[in-house]
Amino acid sequence: MSVNANRYESAAARYFEAWNATEPAAIEKAVADAWTVDGAYTDPLAEVRGHEQIAAVIAAVHEQFPGFVFRPLGAVDGHHDTARFGWELVNEADGSAPVAGFDVVTLDEEGGIRQVLGFLDRVPAGA
């Protein structure tokens, strides 16, 4: 495995750790560990910048989908300072996954996430 592949997989692992944190302090720490200070997150439902706003989006998703976790779908792929990976939001009680998509992330030189561009492939009605 190349050094870059490890870099992309490490960034994705930190990203999932942030999205799967549920307590406010854990979300804040995980976001700080994953994103650069001025990092951004954009998907069809949100456009935010900075740790505080990213943490708020993550907390809001957990309020809307309590008992769900984000799981990767497939391998992390990347080149240069960009990586992409698929994911799904899984109900831990019954295994259903009503939300799925993929994200494209841009990394800084140390592997911190500068930007996430999220795409939603499957979203329940009314979400």
Side-chain angles (χ1 to χ4, degrees):
M1 179 177 298
S2 75
V3 171
N4 280 340
N6 277 335
R7 181 173 175 234
Y8 306 137
E9 290 176 8
S10 176
R14 290 190 320 275
Y15 178 81
F16 283 110
E17 185 175 328
W19 277 98
N20 286 324
T22 56
E23 298 301 319
I27 294 171
E28 290 172 19
K29 181 183 182 324
V31 166
D33 289 346
W35 270 268
T36 61
V37 172
D38 63 343
Y41 176 86
T42 303
D43 71 17
L45 306 174
E47 184 173 10
V48 297
R49 180 169 298 281
H51 292 174
E52 186 175 313
Q53 290 181 2
I54 294 167
V57 167
I58 291 171
V61 169
H62 285 291
E63 285 180 26
Q64 186 175 3
F65 295 96
F68 284 73
V69 295
F70 283 87
R71 299 242 169 89
L73 283 177
V76 178
D77 182 29
H79 61 81
H80 296 86
D81 290 331
T82 305
R84 67 179 178 165
F85 48 86
W87 53 266
E88 62 185 352
L89 185 60
V90 179
N91 183 325
E92 290 188 295
D94 66 14
S96 64
V99 183
F102 78 91
D103 292 341
V104 176
V105 301
T106 304
L107 306 175
D108 71 3
E109 297 77 24
E110 289 80 39
I113 298 172
R114 287 184 182 174
Q115 173 73 46
V116 175
L117 298 174
F119 295 84
L120 302 173
D121 297 324
R122 182 173 61 236
V123 179

